[in-house]
Amino acid sequence: RMIGALIMVHSDDYGLVLPPRIAPTQVVIVPIGNDPLVGEVSNRILSDLRKDDYSAFIDNTDRTPGFKFAEHEVNGIPVRVELGKRDYENGVVTLARRDTREKITVSINADIVAEIEKWFAFIDIIESGKTDLQTTIKQTKSKILDLAIHGKLVPQDLNDEPASELLKRINPAAEITCD
């Protein structure tokens, strides 16, 4: 049930959308083609990520790039690093975020780990904002229900039975407090 709830909360039409903190794999590197220079850069990026304790791997399977991208998207890997021969020749790598499906290109010589750290920090801020919003919504619903029970939300006819009495009849075990 917990896993089902996790998947329900952290998914969209394209698969899982896991926050980096709970994702088993945080970054996947997808080399496009079999160019040895692309492999070298991929290995360098992987070692940089692992030095900073990120869970990452290089997808060297024989599948097409599109299949690999879709597979990692369904599995909810937060960041994908794409690098092909043309990218290498242009001196760039492409970073793709799973949560927004946004892509950016950065220089091969840039600090790719720092860019990924920025994304992860931003994603954490969004996740904590979601939690705060959910708490506020829950408190607001509770307050509205309390006001409704005590007849303070909508004017009540004096001849009508108070809502708290009606609720006691419906559920005698319920604890209803009156101000």
Side-chain angles (χ1 to χ4, degrees), residues 85-133:
K85 185 175 183 178
R86 197 173 314 141
D87 295 323
Y88 179 80
E89 290 167 355
N90 293 330
V92 297
V93 296
T94 302
L95 303 179
R97 277 179 57 175
R98 172 62 188 92
D99 61 337
T100 61
R101 303 185 79 212
E102 168 189 359
K103 286 185 173 187
I104 64 166
T105 55
V106 295
S107 169
I108 283 179
N109 300 320
D111 189 353
I112 295 168
V113 175
E115 192 65 40
I116 291 171
E117 284 174 355
K118 283 184 212 172
W119 275 3
F120 285 175
F122 186 67
I123 291 168
D124 285 341
I125 290 168
I126 291 170
E127 285 297 315
S128 86
K130 281 182 186 176
T131 303
D132 293 345
L133 179 61

Side-chain angles (χ1 to χ4, degrees), residues 40-110:
E40 282 179 33
V41 174
S42 297
N43 286 326
R44 179 182 57 83
I45 294 169
L46 179 65
S47 75
D48 290 347
L49 287 164
R50 288 194 172 155
K51 280 181 201 168
D52 286 359
D53 293 327
Y54 286 107
S55 170
F57 74 98
I58 298 174
D59 185 349
N60 281 320
T61 59
D62 291 333
R63 299 197 165 115
T64 64
F67 184 91
K68 293 178 187 182
F69 297 166
E71 180 179 39
H72 300 308
E73 197 170 279
V74 166
N75 292 331
I77 298 175
V79 173
R80 181 178 68 237
V81 179
E82 305 167 8
L83 176 64
K85 185 175 183 178
R86 197 173 314 141
D87 295 323
Y88 179 80
E89 290 167 355
N90 293 330
V92 297
V93 296
T94 302
L95 303 179
R97 277 179 57 175
R98 172 62 188 92
D99 61 337
T100 61
R101 303 185 79 212
E102 168 189 359
K103 286 185 173 187
I104 64 166
T105 55
V106 295
S107 169
I108 283 179
N109 300 320

